[in-house]
Structures are given as C-alpha cells and as structure tokens.
Amino acid sequence: MSNNIQSVRGMNDCLPDAADTWQAFEAIVRDWLRRYGYREMRTPILEHTGLFKRAIGEVTDIVEKEMYTFVDELNGESLALRPEGTASSVRAVIQHNLLYDGGKRLWYTGPMFRHERPQKGRYRQFHQVGVEALGFAGPDTDAELIVMCADLWRELDIAPTLQINTLGDYESRQRHRAKLIAYFEAHQDVLDEDAKRRLHSNPLRILDSKNPAMQALADNAPRLMDELDDEALAHFDAVQRLLRASGIAFEINPRLVRGLDYYNRTVFEWVTDQLGAQGTVCAGGRYDGLIGQLGGKPAPAAGFAMGIERLLALVEAGGRPLAVPAPDAYIVHAGEAAERFAWQVAAALRAAGLATVLHCGGGSFKSQMKKADASRARFALIIGDDEAVLLQVTLKPLRGTGEQTRIEVPLVIETLKNATI
Ligand code: HAM
C-alpha cells in the first residue's frame, strides 16, 4: 500500500476519456434544454446549512446523516456543501426576485455532495442536471417535465421506466399523517430504531424504509390516496391524461414518497433494473410550498434532477454510444525548417477552427506517427524539410482507406473540413 494521497472516498476523478463522454452528454443536454426554452442558472456549491434544513426537512436522511456541514472558522457560520440543487435555485430566485414578471424555466448542472455509503452508482460527490419550472401551477407543467425526460431518453436510446404518484396537498397530508401515526403506534413492536425516532416527527418517511422486516407493515399502512381532496385528484388525473396523450407509459406507485420533504402533488421517478441497486436515474415532482416556506412570495413550482453518473452508466449498458470529439489533425515534423513551417500550419488550421495537435518533443517520424495514431486524430500532417521548402504538407488519413497526398495548406484546410472520416 503506497502512502500517496488518494482522492476522498466516494469522490471520483473524471479522466480525459470519461470527460470526452461527459462533454458529449452535456452538449446533448444543453441543446435539449434549449429546445424546451429552459435557461441555465449557476449557484454556489456552498450554502448556509439552514437553507437545506428548511427546504429538504430536518428529519430526512439527507439532512440528518448525509450533509457535509462545517463551521466557517472565520465567522462562525454553519455552511454545507449542497446535497441537491432545488433549495439553492429557490433561494436564488427569491433573493433576486426572478419571478417578478412571471414564471421561469431554469436548469443547472454540477456536483452535489452526500455522505452516503459509496457503491456502484452511489457516490459522495455526484453530478446532477436539474430542471426547475418556477411559478407554474398546472398539470401541464408536470406532464411537460416528464415528456421532456422521455424525449432525452429517446435521444440517448435508453429506456428507464416511469413511476408516478401524488402526495396531495397540505391538509390531506396532515390527515394522512395522523392516521399513519396511529397505525404505526399500534404496531410499535415491528418498528426499527429509525422508524421509532421518526414516528412523530416524520411518519411518512417510515414508508420509504428499506428495512425488509418492515415492508409488510409499510405495504398495509393507510394510503395517502384515500385522503386526497378533489382538486389534487383532478390535478393527478390531468397529468395522467396528458402523459397518455403523449404516448408515455407509466406505473402508479403509491409507495413513492421521495426522500425530500418539499414535495406535494405529483412526484415521479425514472428507474431501471440495469444498474443494480441504484436504479433511479432521474426524479422529481411538484413543490408548491417551498418558495413561500423559504420566505418568498408564495408561488407554485415543479422540477426534477437526473444523476449524470447513473445515466451515463445506463447509456454505456446499451444506449447509443456518444460521439466523442477527436483531433482533426496531428502534425508530425522533422528538421528545423519543417518545425518552423509546422508551427505556421498549426496556427492556420486552428484559425480555421480545426482541432490540431502539434507534435512536441522531437523523435523519428516513425515514433511521431505512433503518437499521431494514439491521439485518435483523423489525419496526420507530415512535414519534412522537403515539404517546408515547397510550403506543402503530406496529408495521411489515419482512418479508412484514403490515399496519402501532398498538397498546399489552403487545400489541407478544405480537405479536413469536408472529410467524412
Ligand atoms: P434526488 O432524488 O435526491 O432529488 O436526486 C435526483 C437524482 O440524483 C437521483 O435520482 C439520482 O439519479 C441522483 N443521485 C442522488 N444521490 C446520488 C448519489 N449519492 N450518487 C449518484 N447519484 C445520485 C433531488 O435531488 C431533487 N433536487 C430533484 C428535484 C428537482 N425535485 C424537484 N426539482
């Protein structure tokens, strides 16, 4: 075991090959969001701890067990690395009064931090693309959020399945909560420690328990569905109608309660069985109370976030391979005049927008050509003193069956721009 410093457990490096794939994914995502009229917002990675306590809920796994929280020794403030992006988005929207002239469609991407037990698909630093539609009350927004996910899955050629549920509104949740507490109190002997602790503070969370010994108890618990009022039911019906009209298959899962407290009405998760235990690739729902709860003028909202690591794993498991960028040209050169000319050619190619790697460090043509191959470039540009004198370049396709040719620089640029390899 070496004593070299390693990365923090559960936090991964994104090496160049992986970063190529991430960039290709991000380009698809940016274009997809543009087509739906969403605009990017960037918020800080650190926030006041109180923001997440108030938004996500004091009695949730994230806030109780998973937040990276520390006291800023310079001023005594308690800060947290963001575990998710919704709270920060709402904080920023309130702080900058972004809803003053109506609803906003926003998205963000970046690292999130949760001190969970790392395993495949679950990391302590992971990345989300999050989408928030703020200021919109109708079921059309819920449905569109789901439809846009389906659109992205089609583009990535993956097929997670959709589960939806409704959590109703405040009053029905209070009624349900009272019934749940009475029910769980009557079955104290089956409750584990977590459940006992949450019995009075957040009984809904008990339904979310992964403890197999409590599954039957949770399955037979009073159902929120039975407490829903007409308005919430009509909202849920309308979401389903719109989904059917868009040809989106879904399953209603009454057990779907989500791990964050801010949700009401529609909640949804996109899940797959191709990734083992961590099969939720995207999740979200409506959170009509959060803006008011964080001190803003009350306004409805809904959104979702997808885990990039999990989505890319799913793409790798069978989706469409993402087109990763490669250099257009790798310039090899030997000789003094050739080197001078090679620099000029590289500058001309780059000015024309071509991705050009100029060989550094000398060596024989043979060893330089090996580097050119390894770079995955589409073409090698070979420059010896002969070529330099004539201001020409030998162009060698590194893929396909094309012939090597010796041509002037403007023609090189034209050929590279038009080449289909
Ligand atoms: P969430 O369900 O906590 O929701 O996370 C959303 C997604 O982030 C998950 O479905 C999963 O793909 C990914 N994810 C979560 N934790 C990890 C982890 N430890 N490692 C890898 N991936 C992970 C939210 O964060 C809400 N803010 C979503 C939302 C936005 N609701 C409304 N607007």
Side-chain angles (χ1 to χ4, degrees), residues 33 48 63 87 99 146 148 152 179 190 222 229 238 339 347 394:
L33 290 160
H48 293 289
V63 167
L99 298 186
I146 292 172
M148 70 191 277
L152 181 63
K179 289 198 176 166
V190 193
D229 56 43
E339 181 172 17
T394 297

Side-chain angles (χ1 to χ4, degrees), residues 62 66 83-87 108 112-117 119 121-133 258-260 262-263 269-270 278-287 302-311:
I62 296 180
E66 298 168 1
E84 58 107 47
T86 308
Y108 50 84
M112 309 290 162
F113 302 84
R114 296 184 194 175
H115 200 284
E116 298 188 81
R117 197 171 52 76
Q119 62 181 85
R122 188 163 74 190
Y123 309 103
R124 291 181 174 172
Q125 175 177 311
F126 60 98
H127 297 74
Q128 287 183 341
V129 172
V131 171
E132 314 290 357
R258 307 279 297 122
L260 307 94
Y262 48 63
Y263 292 108
E269 290 193 355
W270 290 93
Q278 304 305 318
T280 308
V281 292
C282 176
R286 185 157 277 290
Y287 52 94
F304 62 80
M306 58 185 87
I308 300 183
E309 286 83 355
R310 290 185 195 176
L311 266 183

Side-chain angles (χ1 to χ4, degrees), residues 253-270:
N253 176 2
R255 292 281 305 276
L256 184 66
V257 293
R258 307 279 297 122
L260 307 94
D261 281 353
Y262 48 63
Y263 292 108
N264 69 313
R265 295 203 176 180
T266 319
V267 288
F268 61 89
E269 290 193 355
W270 290 93

Side-chain angles (χ1 to χ4, degrees), residues 328-329 331 342-357 409-410 413-414 416-417:
D328 296 304
I331 304 183
W343 278 65
Q344 289 168 12
V345 173
L349 261 59
R350 289 169 184 151
L354 293 162
T356 308
V357 180
V409 176
I413 291 175
E414 202 184 303
L416 291 194
K417 287 203 153 169

Side-chain angles (χ1 to χ4, degrees), residues 165-169 171-177 179-180 183 204 207 218-230 232-233 236 252 254-255:
N165 190 22
T166 178
L167 302 181
D169 291 318
E171 293 74 20
S172 34
R173 289 173 74 172
Q174 290 304 102
R175 277 198 302 278
H176 178 234
R177 185 190 145 90
K179 289 198 176 166
L180 271 184
Y183 171 78
L204 201 65
L207 296 179
D219 284 341
N220 296 316
R223 288 160 20 121
L224 179 63
M225 210 56 114
D226 301 329
E227 303 297 329
L228 295 183
D229 56 43
D230 290 348
L233 279 174
F236 195 44
I252 297 177
R255 292 281 305 276

Side-chain angles (χ1 to χ4, degrees), residues 11-290:
M11 303 202 180
N12 302 314
D13 299 309
C14 184
L15 301 178
D17 280 347
D20 281 344
T21 306
W22 279 60
Q23 282 191 13
F25 173 75
E26 284 159 8
I28 290 171
V29 162
R30 273 171 205 284
D31 191 56
W32 163 66
L33 290 160
R34 181 189 61 76
R35 280 183 276 133
Y36 278 87
Y38 279 78
R39 296 178 68 203
E40 187 180 0
M41 182 163 75
R42 304 182 186 197
T43 60
I45 284 171
L46 278 182
E47 297 274 2
H48 293 289
T49 307
L51 171 66
F52 301 116
K53 286 192 177 169
R54 271 166 69 182
I56 299 170
E58 297 255 10
V59 191
T60 55
D61 279 349
I62 296 180
V63 167
E64 282 186 332
K65 306 180 193 162
E66 298 168 1
M67 267 215 297
Y68 283 89
T69 312
F70 63 95
V71 175
D72 179 344
E73 292 187 359
L74 298 178
N75 60 11
E77 284 180 339
S78 176
L79 302 178
L81 287 172
R82 62 181 184 195
E84 58 107 47
T86 308
S88 308
S89 301
V90 169
R91 196 256 321 127
V93 159
I94 297 170
Q95 185 172 336
H96 304 286
N97 194 21
L98 284 193
L99 298 186
Y100 79 99
D101 62 348
K104 292 285 174 298
R105 294 175 170 83
L106 304 174
W107 71 275
Y108 50 84
T109 185
M112 309 290 162
F113 302 84
R114 296 184 194 175
H115 200 284
E116 298 188 81
R117 197 171 52 76
Q119 62 181 85
K120 181 170 171 274
R122 188 163 74 190
Y123 309 103
R124 291 181 174 172
Q125 175 177 311
F126 60 98
H127 297 74
Q128 287 183 341
V129 172
V131 171
E132 314 290 357
L134 301 127
F136 302 97
D140 48 355
T141 296
D142 312 22
E144 195 193 49
L145 287 167
I146 292 172
V147 166
M148 70 191 277
C149 290
D151 207 10
L152 181 63
W153 310 153
R154 251 192 309 279
E155 194 161 339
L156 296 171
D157 201 17
I158 56 176
T161 56
L162 174 64
Q163 301 198 342
I164 62 173
N165 190 22
T166 178
L167 302 181
D169 291 318
Y170 184 74
E171 293 74 20
S172 34
R173 289 173 74 172
Q174 290 304 102
R175 277 198 302 278
H176 178 234
R177 185 190 145 90
K179 289 198 176 166
L180 271 184
I181 293 177
Y183 171 78
F184 286 130
E185 267 175 348
H187 296 88
Q188 287 270 7
D189 47 323
V190 193
L191 298 183
D192 62 15
E193 283 312 307
D194 247 7
K196 282 187 184 142
R197 208 166 34 78
R198 290 173 167 187
L199 179 55
H200 291 278
S201 54
N202 202 343
L204 201 65
R205 284 278 89 80
I206 301 177
L207 296 179
D208 211 15
S209 167
K210 304 275 184 299
N211 182 352
M214 285 178 29
Q215 289 313 300
L217 186 67
D219 284 341
N220 296 316
R223 288 160 20 121
L224 179 63
M225 210 56 114
D226 301 329
E227 303 297 329
L228 295 183
D229 56 43
D230 290 348
E231 243 179 281
L233 279 174
H235 186 103
F236 195 44
D237 279 347
V239 173
Q240 293 176 53
R241 211 170 40 244
L242 287 163
L243 291 180
R244 280 193 205 99
S246 303
I248 309 274
F250 58 86
E251 183 193 320
I252 297 177
N253 176 2
R255 292 281 305 276
L256 184 66
V257 293
R258 307 279 297 122
L260 307 94
D261 281 353
Y262 48 63
Y263 292 108
N264 69 313
R265 295 203 176 180
T266 319
V267 288
F268 61 89
E269 290 193 355
W270 290 93
V271 294
T272 173
D273 54 15
Q274 284 181 272
L275 298 179
Q278 304 305 318
T280 308
V281 292
C282 176
R286 185 157 277 290
Y287 52 94
D288 293 329
L290 185 59

